Amino acid sequence: MIGFAEFECLIYDAHSLKEKRAVLQRVITRLKQKYNISIAETGHQDAWQRTKLAIVTVSSSRQSTERELQNALRFVDSFPEIERTVTDIEWL
């Protein structure tokens, strides 16, 4: 089972692309270390305070795939400098 989550985020304290990249790099690195996922920035690369990220995970059952995605999304929510807004989840 393949689970795909795409979500938009706001980074209020970023005043340049460099500051945005620093926040994203920290979030992405920690997510990759903690969870069995692949993650990439898929949209709004040239905006300072906005981004779109995509997470993909694969496992043998939908239940374990969904658990991994939900845990990763909760972990994103735990960062005070980033706010997750619109989230779309798909199953393949």
Side-chain angles (χ1 to χ4, degrees), residues 2 7 15 20 30 52 56 86:
I2 300 170
F7 53 97
H15 301 291
K20 173 188 169 181
R30 285 188 166 169
K52 183 181 272 191
V56 177
V86 178

Side-chain angles (χ1 to χ4, degrees), residues 13-62:
D13 293 335
H15 301 291
S16 67
L17 286 175
K18 187 175 183 177
E19 290 177 3
K20 173 188 169 181
R21 300 277 181 256
V23 171
L24 285 179
Q25 189 63 37
R26 185 170 55 253
V27 170
I28 289 171
T29 301
R30 285 188 166 169
L31 277 166
K32 285 181 179 178
Q33 289 172 347
K34 191 167 176 102
Y35 299 101
N36 185 22
I37 61 165
S38 292
I39 183 170
E41 184 179 16
T42 59
H44 308 297
Q45 281 115 344
D46 57 348
W48 292 359
Q49 295 182 327
R50 193 170 172 203
T51 189
K52 183 181 272 191
L53 298 172
I55 295 175
V56 177
T57 187
V58 178
S59 74
S60 60
S61 71
R62 181 176 173 150

